[in-house]
Amino acid sequence: MDGKERTSWSEGVTFGLQSGMAVIPYALLTAYRKLNLTGSETLLLIHLLSFRQIEGKDFPSLEELQAVTGRSASVIAGELQKLIKEGFLKIEAGSDERQGLHYERYDFSGLYDKLGRYLSSQRNSTALGADSNSFQRGARSSSSEKGEWIQSGVVSGEAESPSLFVVFEKEFGRPLSPMECETISGWLDQDRYPEELILLALKESVFAGKVYFRYIDRILLEWSRNRVKNAQDVKAYSQRFRGGS
């Protein structure tokens, strides 16, 4: 390397270091496969951490994530959906009363919890094989603890959800935002609404010409209060509500 090349290299390194350095958990780099994460999902998490630490952006847009990953918005949205669904990320919403601003941000506590459990299992386990099997069951996460994984041969929420998200994207005519994906996941996992009921609520909103999430959520809440649980209940409730026979 001659003097000119050395100077150019030195200037490049200096510029890179001055741009900032993100702190990435080493366990994420070494254990992401044990967490059932793909390489692209891991890189997405790294980018989200970097946006927060270097640029002060707690909720980068899909366009910003596209620019750094080189992947399409729909692919990124799908990966974010999975990370949220499996408990690696959460989306927090809040407001700054002094500035009157509403904000959203990613919460990484689920990721750190999974990494902590993995490191603990590695340290305490006496058998590596048992260690791996035990963690892979736990890595499906806090989602499992919330009853997301349904047993006894019933299709799980994870298997059902993609088709539900696709239907919503078709009706809305665009990819869903991470917050919208979390809303649907919340209907399934927290509110325990059957997928059939969610699709019927979407259908009602389309007929009413009010295709937005808040309206659909109000429909589901109203049905829940009136113990409407399936298509037959919806039909009977609609007839009573509209004064039908």
Side-chain angles (χ1 to χ4, degrees):
M1 182 183 295
D2 60 27
K4 185 178 293 186
E5 288 177 334
R6 187 181 300 277
T7 299
S8 177
W9 177 84
S10 177
E11 289 174 349
V13 171
T14 301
F15 176 77
L17 293 176
Q18 288 177 342
S19 298
M21 299 179 66
V23 178
I24 307 301
Y26 180 64
L28 176 60
L29 302 178
T30 58
Y32 69 90
R33 291 183 180 178
K34 301 287 181 65
L35 295 169
N36 293 332
L37 289 170
T38 65
S40 61
E41 290 162 355
T42 303
L43 184 59
L44 181 56
L45 286 169
I46 291 172
H47 280 304
L48 292 175
L49 289 167
S50 299
F51 267 109
R52 170 170 292 185
Q53 296 176 32
I54 305 302
E55 300 189 34
K57 293 182 178 179
D58 292 331
F59 199 75
S61 67
L62 289 178
E63 289 76 14
E64 289 172 320
L65 293 172
Q66 274 186 276
V68 295
T69 63
R71 298 196 300 278
S72 69
S74 61
V75 170
I76 296 170
E79 290 177 343
L80 288 171
Q81 169 195 323
K82 179 189 171 185
L83 291 170
I84 291 169
K85 184 171 180 58
E86 296 193 355
F88 291 93
L89 289 175
K90 290 190 294 185
I91 297 177
E92 290 184 339
S95 58
D96 186 327
E97 295 182 358
R98 289 179 299 178
Q99 299 184 22
L101 298 176
H102 176 79
Y103 64 84
E104 295 172 343
R105 65 185 179 188
Y106 287 109
D107 179 348
F108 297 90
S109 58
L111 169 64
Y112 298 141
D113 177 64
K114 291 176 187 298
L115 289 173
R117 282 191 285 164
Y118 172 74
L119 293 174
S120 177
S121 69
Q122 287 291 96
R123 182 185 59 194
N124 298 326
S125 176
T126 55
L128 185 60
D131 193 6
S132 175
N133 292 335
S134 172
F135 182 73
Q136 286 188 14
R137 287 195 299 272
R140 283 196 183 136
S141 86
S142 44
S143 304
S144 174
E145 295 164 5
K146 293 176 183 176
E148 180 174 300
W149 300 93
I150 304 173
Q151 298 178 356
S152 303
V154 180
V155 178
S156 72
E158 183 186 37
E160 293 178 350
S161 298
S163 62
L164 191 59
F165 288 105
V166 168
V167 172
F168 268 78
E169 287 188 340
K170 287 182 178 179
E171 290 296 342
F172 278 71
R174 58 170 174 77
L176 300 177
S177 71
M179 181 63 81
E180 290 168 339
C181 291
E182 188 179 38
T183 297
I184 296 175
S185 295
W187 289 337
L188 290 166
D189 306 330
Q190 298 172 19
D191 299 316
R192 309 298 294 167
Y193 295 137
E195 181 175 338
E196 175 191 33
L197 206 63
I198 296 172
L199 291 173
L200 288 169
L202 173 61
K203 184 178 179 181
E204 287 281 328
S205 74
V206 171
F207 286 158
K210 300 178 180 179
V211 188
Y212 48 87
F213 274 80
R214 188 170 297 177
Y215 185 76
I216 297 169
D217 190 60
R218 287 206 302 266
I219 293 174
L220 290 167
L221 183 60
E222 181 67 22
W223 286 350
S224 177
R225 288 171 176 168
N226 288 275
R227 299 185 179 182
V228 174
K229 299 179 180 179
N230 52 46
Q232 186 175 0
D233 291 345
V234 168
K235 183 177 180 180
Y237 178 77
S238 298
Q239 288 177 339
R240 290 198 308 271
F241 182 76
R242 293 165 184 165
S245 56

